[in-house]
Each structure stands twice: as structure tokens, then as C-alpha cells.
Amino acid sequence: AQSVTQLDSQVPVFEEAPVELRCNYSSSVSVYLFWYVQYPNQGLQLLLKYLSGSTLVKGINGFEAEFNKSQTSFHLRKPSVHISDTAEYFCAVSEGSNYKLTFGKGTLLTVNP
Amino acid sequence: EAGVVQSPRYKIIEKKQPVAFWCNPISGHNTLYWYLQNLGQGPELLIRYENEEAVDDSQLPKDRFSAERLKGVDSTLKIQPAELGDSAVYLCASSLDPPPNIQYFGAGTRLSVL
């Protein structure tokens, strides 16, 4: 069965610093991987996705993620964060033709001035 | 293009009362999902529809929860009677077939049961 582990529940950083949010997944078949962002009192917004091809994927708001099959990881990165990036970030995985999307517990990114 | 629309955004009820949530998916999306998101957790699937058919309702507590998707478009999720533990955010999402069926979410309904 597929599962997702987000290794950090909270990540505080200063504005303009780089950030990495870590995600590991467990699956026995090929996967699709997603990062969603949730701002306070909002729904989930798709940040980026890995479906196939290049292992480095770029998303909205300057975020990117790298798919590492050997380490079963899909870490999210941004070289310079802004106050407006403060939000909850969720990593999610779905297997092949399986519709089920399994989410991690989320990482709260707090960007301080 | 309009996104997934949910209403109401917030609902406060007393325990044992009924409550209903409404969802309008993105136009043309045949697959619709209802998720439950507890505080500090990721969303968990309650039910998935393909057109009018509920194809995965294994996680839906059927003693008090029910859902419908008439005409394969809008959907309603109902709880009757509500319990204190039902306080959470209820999210609706929609996607196109076939996989990878990228899911797009609505803003959610935050339910508080007193």
C-alpha cells in the first residue's frame, strides 16, 4: 500500500533564505507525485507534479521538486522564500492507475521577516 | 475557468443536528471526491464518484454519512446526526479521466459541532 512521510511537521525560516521540505513515499509500483499548498482557511492548491520524464519539476511561485526513485523521495525546494510563502505544504502520491491520492500529514512553513 | 465551488464555507451546528455540504466540480470533470481533513492532518478520502456512480465509498461511515451525485455533476455530502468528532474541514475535489487524474480542490467547508 502506498504511504507518504513528511519528515518535518514545522519548518521556520527567515525571508529570502532557501528552504527544503522533505517527502518520502512508499510504493511497490510506479507513482505519480504531487505537492499541494494550503493557505489559512483555504483549500489545497496544486503546486507541482511529477508524472514522468525529467526528475526535476518546476511549479508555481518559484518552487521546484526532484524525484529520486532510488531514495523514494520527492523533496520540495525554493531558493529564496517570501513572507507570502507561509502556508501548509502537503506531499501526495498515487500509484499507476489507482485513483487514490494518499497525503502526508503536512509541513507548516513559516517565513519570518 | 471556474474552479471547484463548495458551500457553505463555514457551518456551526449542535450535536445530533443534520448538516449538508454542496460541491460543484470543474466543468467537464467526471470524477468527484469528498475528503475529510482533521486539524493538523492531510486530507483522507471519504468517497469517490465516477459520473453518478460511487465507485469507492469504503471509508465513508455509512451509519451517519451519506452522499449523492445526481446527474453526474453537483454533489451533496450529508451527516445525520452530527457528532462532536465530526468537527473538521470537508474538501471536495474533481478530476478528469484517465490517470494521472490530477485532482483540483475547492476551498472546503469548515464544520464545527458544539
Side-chain angles (χ1 to χ4, degrees), chain B residues 80-107:
Chain B
Q80 182 171 10
E83 297 179 352
L84 294 176
D86 296 331
S87 295
V89 176
Y90 293 82
L91 293 165
C92 179
S94 68
S95 70
L96 279 171
D97 281 341
N101 62 285
I102 299 164
Q103 297 182 32
Y104 296 90
F105 285 79

Side-chain angles (χ1 to χ4, degrees), chain B residues 20-98:
Chain B
F21 315 124
W22 176 81
C23 174
N24 178 247
I26 292 172
S27 178
H29 281 195
N30 58 316
T31 304
L32 183 146
Y33 314 76
W34 283 103
Y35 285 87
L36 166 68
Q37 185 179 20
N38 286 307
L39 188 65
Q41 301 292 320
E44 298 176 352
L45 182 68
L46 287 172
I47 188 168
R48 173 170 67 89
Y49 281 93
E50 287 183 16
N51 300 306
E52 304 88 355
E53 183 182 0
V55 294
D56 182 357
D57 63 356
S58 57
Q59 301 304 309
L60 189 71
K62 298 181 184 62
D63 56 336
R64 298 184 300 106
F65 286 66
S66 64
E68 61 183 10
R69 190 184 184 197
L70 300 177
K71 301 181 180 179
V73 181
D74 295 358
S75 178
T76 303
L77 178 69
K78 298 178 181 177
I79 308 175
Q80 182 171 10
E83 297 179 352
L84 294 176
D86 296 331
S87 295
V89 176
Y90 293 82
L91 293 165
C92 179
S94 68
S95 70
L96 279 171
D97 281 341

Side-chain angles (χ1 to χ4, degrees), chain A residues 8-93:
Chain A
D8 305 295
S9 59
Q10 298 185 50
V11 173
V13 296
F14 288 108
E15 193 173 17
E16 298 183 6
V19 71
E20 178 180 82
L21 306 184
R22 297 180 294 167
C23 172
N24 286 92
Y25 68 93
S26 174
S27 173
S28 58
V29 298
S30 61
V31 296
Y32 302 121
L33 293 157
F34 306 85
W35 276 98
Y36 284 86
V37 59
Q38 187 174 36
Y39 298 102
N41 298 314
Q42 298 290 323
L44 275 71
Q45 179 181 2
L46 183 64
L47 203 54
L48 50 78
K49 59 188 181 293
Y50 170 77
L51 305 180
S52 65
S54 174
T55 57
L56 182 64
V57 293
K58 294 187 183 299
I60 61 173
N61 301 339
F63 284 93
E64 64 181 31
E66 186 159 18
F67 170 55
N68 187 319
K69 187 175 181 179
S70 62
Q71 301 199 359
T72 60
S73 67
F74 190 54
H75 300 333
L76 181 71
R77 302 186 182 99
K78 186 170 182 177
S80 176
V81 295
H82 303 288
I83 299 286
S84 59
D85 292 323
T86 295
E88 188 96 29
Y89 291 79
F90 291 94
C91 181
V93 62

